[in-house]
Amino acid sequence: MNEAAHRTPLYLRVAADLRTAITAGEYGSGARLPAEDELARRHGVSRGTVRQALAALRADGLVTSRRGTRRVVLAAPGDAGSAELRSFTRWARSLGRDPGGRTVAVEPVAADAEEAEHLRIGVGEPVYRVRRLRTLAGAPVMVERTTYPRAVGALVAGMPLDTVSYSEQLALHGVLFMDAHHTIDLVPADADDAELLGCRAGEALLRERRRSTDPAGTPVEWSQDRYLPGTVAFTVHTTAASALGRRLGS
């Protein structure tokens, strides 16, 4: 096994093996995965590691989230039914687009009332506010304004400014983005948005406000992403596993 594989957490290796099996058609949409103890035996790991691997697959919209029962495959990667709102980076790559990111600022601050409410912490507790410009094929698309709890933010603060995907890097530290609550509305661009996106101050931007939680339900981010009009659109699919998805704007 090479050095990179040794550095990869064990649960991510198990998740990768299961993802490969799903992609290969070993488990089609609607099929049940083996029970946790059977998966643990097959992979030579603990049931806790299997649960973490399944949580990673749930975060990608591949399997159901119910514990205590055998997980059901929702859709193989690339299936039209897999419409969960993945990270910006994963979404862009799924379309064959080249995602980019440039961190503008990382600031350790005291949480204000709004941040405290969404992160379920006390007002004034330490958090990190991160502002980042996101691009597709080098063109500005969106400004991220994200607040992280102190432990998660400290990890982000140590990443290079040109890190493309925080979520992928955080996963290597055991921080998983499992579920999210989204609110979509319009907001006028402020001076900072205008400078970063190349638009006019006051121009309407599509805003996605999002609180993401880990497998235990603990908030790991509170974000307000502002998209240039015409670059993306959001769609909602109402099914047994309701999901919010992005598509390119027209």
Side-chain angles (χ1 to χ4, degrees), residues 154-200:
L155 294 172
V156 171
M159 297 179 190
L161 296 180
D162 60 353
T163 297
V164 174
S165 174
Y166 286 160
S167 61
E168 290 178 351
Q169 295 303 310
L170 288 171
L172 298 177
H173 294 276
V175 180
L176 295 178
F177 292 73
M178 174 58 61
D179 293 302
H181 180 271
H182 310 270
T183 301
I184 310 295
D185 61 5
L186 295 176
V187 65
D190 61 21
D192 189 55
D193 295 325
E195 179 181 354
L196 292 172
L197 294 173
C199 63
R200 299 186 311 276

Side-chain angles (χ1 to χ4, degrees), residues 187-216:
V187 65
D190 61 21
D192 189 55
D193 295 325
E195 179 181 354
L196 292 172
L197 294 173
C199 63
R200 299 186 311 276
E203 182 175 346
L205 301 178
L206 184 64
R207 179 173 65 173
E208 179 213 349
R209 288 178 286 176
R210 178 182 67 257
R211 181 181 67 194
S212 301
T213 55
D214 66 12

Side-chain angles (χ1 to χ4, degrees), residues 139-150:
V141 172
M142 177 258 285
V143 174
E144 286 180 349
R145 287 178 170 83
T146 307
T147 304
Y148 296 99
R150 178 170 57 179

Side-chain angles (χ1 to χ4, degrees), residues 18 27 32-39 42 54 70-71:
L18 290 172
Y27 306 108
R32 291 183 179 273
L33 293 177
E36 289 179 357
D37 54 354
E38 173 62 17
L39 288 172
R42 290 186 188 183
L54 293 172
R70 290 170 59 189
R71 309 300 176 96

